[in-house]
Amino acid sequence: MDLDDLVEHWTLLPDEVDLVVRRHGATRLLFAAWLKFTRHGRFPRGRSELHDDAVVFLARQLKVSAGVIGLVEWDGPAERHRADGGLGTTPSGEGVVRLRTRPAARSRWSPG
């Protein structure tokens, strides 16, 4: 993938950055990849559909390691979300990504 393609299709716009930075680590990179991939009208079916150059380009923008995307289970909650029709449309017909996130586990530890 050449630099012009990366810049045109994989640069995070300011409103996309606002959505992505609320996530952490692998989730941040995966969400950014999903967000940019939706120009195809769907979520990627797996890691193999994401070009390595695009993942590295996104990771640099987010200041995370490109390798963290390998920590994501593609057949877990993300796959169920895609099956649920997680890609919606706005009244103007533009694709938007709606992800459901699980709440963080609460610690059972309490002081003293």
Side-chain angles (χ1 to χ4, degrees):
M1 187 172 285
D2 68 22
L3 184 58
D4 289 339
D5 287 337
L6 290 170
V7 170
E8 180 179 352
H9 298 293
W10 295 94
T11 297
L12 292 168
L13 303 174
D15 59 331
E16 294 169 333
V17 172
D18 289 344
L19 292 172
V20 171
V21 297
R22 296 178 186 162
R23 284 138 181 91
H24 303 284
T27 306
R28 180 181 291 187
L29 182 55
L30 179 63
F31 186 80
W34 282 358
L35 192 62
K36 299 311 283 188
F37 192 90
T38 57
R39 75 178 189 279
H40 298 294
R42 63 179 178 82
F43 290 112
R45 290 184 187 97
R47 170 64 179 91
S48 63
E49 285 196 296
L50 298 173
H51 196 285
D52 290 341
D53 292 343
V55 172
V56 170
F57 189 76
L58 286 170
R60 286 181 182 158
Q61 292 174 74
L62 298 170
K63 297 178 178 63
V64 298
S65 167
V68 299
I69 204 163
L71 302 174
V72 177
E73 292 183 30
W74 287 89
D75 60 346
E79 182 63 35
R80 287 192 298 275
H81 178 70
R82 283 192 296 278
D84 290 344
L87 179 64
T89 58
T90 62
S92 65
E94 295 176 23
V96 280
V97 176
R98 288 189 220 116
L99 288 179
R100 291 184 207 105
T101 56
R102 288 185 278 172
R106 293 184 185 197
S107 173
R108 295 178 190 244
W109 178 85
S110 61

